[in-house]
Every structure is written in C-alpha cells, then in structure tokens.
Amino acid sequence: MPITHRLIPPRMVIFARDIQNITGRSERTARLLLQRIRKAYGKKAGQFVSVEEFCRFTALPVKEVRSYLEH
C-alpha cells in the first residue's frame, strides 16, 4: 500500500488547542476546562483526556467533535 493511502486512526485524546478551536474560548479557559475534566474523572495532572471524556463532560456529540478533529 503506498504511503499516501495509509489509514490514520481517529485521535483518542483532546488538547487545549482543540478545545480553543471548538469552543472559541481562550487558551487559559481551555486549560482550565481540561483541569476540571481531569478532576471529575479522577485523573492526575498531565494525564490525557480522551475525546469521549471531553464530550461526556461538555455534552457535545462525539461524532461532531471527531469530525471537527479530522479537519
């Protein structure tokens, strides 16, 4: 299979920059939201937040967020 036709699996984690782009909020607000999500799910500082955890916390549809992250 040529390199240009490799299938890339969907991303599992979400970053502050993604949250900024999705919500239109500032970087600081996006980082604070990630902190709140980590706290809600009992994660330690620096642990990844999955797309599904973000969507459950914010009540955004997973399908739409994944679609947004693919572009």
Side-chain angles (χ1 to χ4, degrees), residues 39-57:
K39 186 175 181 179
Y41 288 103
K43 293 184 172 218
K44 295 180 182 176
Q47 285 187 303
F48 290 121
V49 172
S50 72
V51 173
E52 286 77 14
E53 289 167 336
F54 170 76
C55 290
R56 276 194 305 255
F57 190 85

Side-chain angles (χ1 to χ4, degrees), residues 11-50:
R11 195 155 31 119
M12 294 178 62
V13 298
I14 194 158
F15 298 101
R17 179 54 119 188
D18 299 322
I19 295 172
Q20 278 183 266
N21 292 333
I22 291 168
T23 64
R25 302 293 174 107
S26 70
E27 179 183 358
R28 177 74 179 143
T29 303
R31 286 189 281 118
L32 287 172
L33 179 56
L34 281 174
Q35 286 179 355
R36 289 175 43 211
I37 295 170
R38 282 189 193 99
K39 186 175 181 179
Y41 288 103
K43 293 184 172 218
K44 295 180 182 176
Q47 285 187 303
F48 290 121
V49 172
S50 72

